[in-house]
Amino acid sequence: MTALTTNIQYIKGIGEARAKSLQKLGITDLRGLISYFPRAYEDRREYRRIADLVPGENACVRAVIASEPKLSHIRRGLDLVKLRVVDESAALDLTYFNQSYLKNAFRLGEEYVFYGKAEGNLLKKQMTNPLFEREGANQITGRIMPVYPLTAGVSQSLLQKSVRQGLDACADELSDILPEDVRQAHRLCHIRYAYENVHFPADDEALSVARRRLVFEELYLLTLGLRLLRERRDAAAGQKCENVSLAPFYAALPFTLTGAQTRAAEDCARDMASERAMNRLVQGDVGSGKTMVAAAAVWFAAQSGLQSALMAPTEILAEQHYQTLAPLLEGLGVRCALLTAATTAKTRRSILAQLAAGEIALAIGTHALLSPDVRYQKLGLVVTDEQHRFGVDQRAALSAKGENPHLLVMSATPIPRTLALMIYGDLDVSLIDELPPGRQKIDTFAVNSTYHKRIYDFLRKQVAEGRQAYVICPMVGENDELPDERKAVAAYAEKLQKEVFPDLTVAPIHGRLKPKEKDAVMRDFSEGKIDILVSTTVVEVGVDVPNATVMLIENAECFGLSQLHQLRGRVGRGQHKSYCILVSDSKGEDTKQRLAVMTKTNNGFTIAEEDLKLRGPGDFFGSRQHGLPSLRVADLTCDMELLHESRAAAEQLIAADPALAAHPALRGRIRELFELNAGAMN
Ligand code: ADP
Ligand code: MG
């Protein structure tokens, strides 16, 4: 018996060399190995008589070795082994390239099964490099075989063999983690059967039974984990704030908050004034005014003497938040500081001292806020902007700097509800479903590059009216192999400046500029010193220049729908009518469909749903984005029913046994899965 935590190197038939290869796929222990699921299957069940082989089609053949294999050296680096096999219908010639050891692998007169693609014609049949095994072995022929995702240096057959060894090694070890009553109530197969058949399905039905079980288990564990996280946090006392009225804050604003903003702000205040720590997600489409909700929370915390940290995903965004928030909050007696990688050592030292002394009430920054030398006197609130860019672990690192601080997460990525339930299942949600008044629909056009002249004329007209424009190119630099120079920001900016808009100010900005340079360009743009900003997607997130009214996106086919929506959200932020122009010469049906969605709706949620339909949930579920365990088998586009079923089961269990005290194995497994949150799960 082999434990699931056994290093694969010690599994019979694997050994050091293979273990090393498998490591490239992140597979280190037995559980990792058997949980490395196929991405597809190859049906090798079809047997043919040699005479019935169809050129171009794969099939198995039962045949006897009719000739001694012949090895020939064609030239250096090219060996051939040739042999002839026969069945009752015809002969088949086999050729193997560069596998000279096969010369001694076959016994004359014995029967083997070969699987490969038939070649040749009616008279002469052949196969090149067919797979083979002894008749009756049924290991790699005559069955459905898994097809695994690969990486350089790891072959399909290496994985197939290793997984086989792994399954054999843990045959008795796989104990069922699902409570027996749950397994029965939901008609789920045993775990042993599930693993065996998800890798080496006996037939199609076995595969679907196996898959159903694994999907259920995966979603069940995820739901339970999220619920546990939540229970744990709900149980921990927060830093209770005084329940002061937000009126003084509202009064200091240059505008009236929308109903949705006010509701979100009041939600935060109520949370923070309660006994428990706040864990709230503020979700609102681009431009819905989430920053002011954060400001309200920061102000509220400061009234109780608590410090806040606001973490943004980019320098530009941190800087911008600082520029928006500092004048407002300082006017209300809340001292703010900006701390980024660009902050000079001297300023940084001074800020750190003031943070530690509690003299600064709000620190705004990027990841720099996470470095160990940043200490707070009394950190009570942590706000993360565009949280999908931060892992749960990073949020946790920041939280560790205070005593169970309140958490406020702001996200503009409209996530379809079902996914939100999974991803943010541990947070309360305030939805900002209303835009500030005066916002107009952003007119969106999808055109091809023959429209460039007209587009440029339009940009010129907008600039003449005092407005500004963004132009987005997908790539940085001139050395990429893509033929279109527009893909290079620098080159395109120069071209626009010299050839199209010699009388206007055009400037490039991209991720490879130093933070200081980037900030300088962004500042010039927001101060109106730049008419046309040529950019990569660095402006995708959160940047706010209300005077910009045109978003021109070149090679729009390079972007996903949600990304296009984020980019478009950079305009239409002020009182002026705004436009988004998507340029693409792609003829692909996919692209056309995607761009058409953009022209039809401005609603981020609709777009997210469409995105999900067109692309699948992979993007939402890249685990790096949120720190939750990634889904290995479940596909939320087609496993919705199972999602509901497993959630219901999980809720039931939690209701009966909130701490999973009676289910230690289940609990242990969840803790492993939520590795990043291990601290929180203990
Ligand atoms: P997002 O939700 O995308 O982060 P922001 O907080 O950046 O949106 O707000 C977008 C713009 O709308 C900013 O210029 C902000 O000053 C403005 N704004 C926010 N709330 C209101 C409001 N209630 N009335 C008018 N303008 C507002
Ligand atoms: Mg924002």
Side-chain angles (χ1 to χ4, degrees), residues 290-291 317 321 385-386 542 573:
K290 293 182 290 294
T291 316
L317 202 52
H321 277 321
D385 195 8
E386 311 295 343
R573 301 175 79 83

